[in-house]
Amino acid sequence: MNPVLQAIHSRRSTRAYRPEPLKAEELDTILEAGLYAPSACNGQPWHFTVVHDRTLLDHMSEVCRTGMAASGQDWMVSMAKNPEFHVFYRAPLAVVVSGLKDGLCPLVDTAAAIQNMLLAAESLGIGSCWLGLARFFFASPQEVRKLDIPEGYDPLYAVSLGYKAGPDAPAPARKGRPIRHLYAPKA
Ligand SMILES: Cc1cc2nc3c(=O)[nH]c(=O)nc-3n(C[C@H](O)[C@H](O)[C@H](O)COP(=O)(O)O)c2cc1C
């Protein structure tokens, strides 16, 4: 298997990290991979905020827990009640990925950038997790101000990054093969 396919097949969401920071070159390589994602009309409508501050990450996690506890969704409420739960899984850093409000397809384009970063991380043996639950922090403009995101961008997702605390389990089997080859229109 070539290295790209190898990374695609072996990547898993990492939910336990070693505390030490990533080497700066490794972090740069991962961020650069995000910048090379495709985007509608080459708009590159993204901005990455790399949060290294432990206190801020812990605070963000607590704000999310509060939001999750009040969400009314059972699975989120029970996650929030677990005292061990941390939205960033205590990774040494998280990248907040923001999209340009006036972009053509900021949500799709930032998703492509995130996937590039996850695969780049995996290719370097670094753990990552795409974090939608960070939206509970992004819901508060007052909290978001602490992230110093440039004007005109909305925070959409976060990605935790760090050295893996243990080996990943293999990816579970796919749920079928929802693929159809069409060589002629349906009659
Ligand atoms: C849009 C999106 C949001 C996600 N949000 C979270 C999250 O907040 N917390 C988390 O632990 N995993 C999150 N994940 C990771 C998924 O749970 C994970 O990709 C899925 O279970 C498949 O597992 P794998 O990544 O190990 O293959 C998210 C993934 C995506 C694509």
Side-chain angles (χ1 to χ4, degrees):
M1 216 184 271
N2 75 45
V4 174
L5 292 174
Q6 179 60 43
I8 290 170
H9 284 262
S10 62
R11 182 213 56 80
R12 302 300 314 284
S13 294
T14 298
R15 297 190 175 92
Y17 295 92
R18 304 205 320 249
E20 64 264 33
L22 290 183
K23 293 190 186 80
E25 320 82 84
E26 292 174 329
L27 176 57
D28 281 348
T29 300
I30 293 167
L31 296 169
E32 186 83 358
L35 296 177
Y36 272 82
S39 58
C41 289
N42 193 29
Q44 303 178 31
W46 40 58
H47 181 270
F48 307 151
T49 306
V50 187
V51 184
H52 298 268
D53 185 68
R54 174 85 270 140
T55 309
L56 179 56
L57 289 169
D58 290 345
H59 171 71
M60 291 170 74
S61 178
E62 281 311 301
V63 171
C64 291
R65 277 165 75 105
T66 305
M68 289 164 66
S71 68
Q73 297 213 37
D74 290 349
W75 66 273
M76 281 194 208
V77 174
S78 70
M79 268 172 114
K81 277 187 187 152
N82 177 355
E84 287 306 305
F85 177 72
H86 192 285
V87 166
F88 304 102
Y89 301 103
R90 298 184 178 80
L93 69 90
V95 182
V96 171
V97 179
S98 302
L100 187 65
K101 286 180 201 179
D102 294 336
L104 269 180
C105 302
L107 189 59
V108 176
D109 296 341
T110 50
I114 291 171
Q115 180 67 356
N116 267 16
M117 289 194 268
L118 303 189
L119 292 177
E122 176 63 21
S123 77
L124 298 170
I126 290 166
S128 65
C129 192
W130 187 328
L131 299 166
L133 290 171
R135 72 184 164 85
F136 286 101
F137 183 82
F138 304 150
S140 162
Q142 186 190 329
E143 295 290 353
V144 167
R145 264 199 294 281
K146 295 174 184 161
L147 297 177
D148 197 21
I149 293 168
E151 196 62 38
Y153 289 83
D154 273 334
L156 299 171
Y157 287 108
V159 175
S160 52
L161 288 170
Y163 300 116
K164 304 175 190 191
D168 293 325
R174 298 296 92 182
K175 297 176 180 172
R177 276 181 72 76
I179 300 168
R180 172 177 292 151
H181 295 271
L182 193 65
Y183 297 104
K186 185 171 187 279

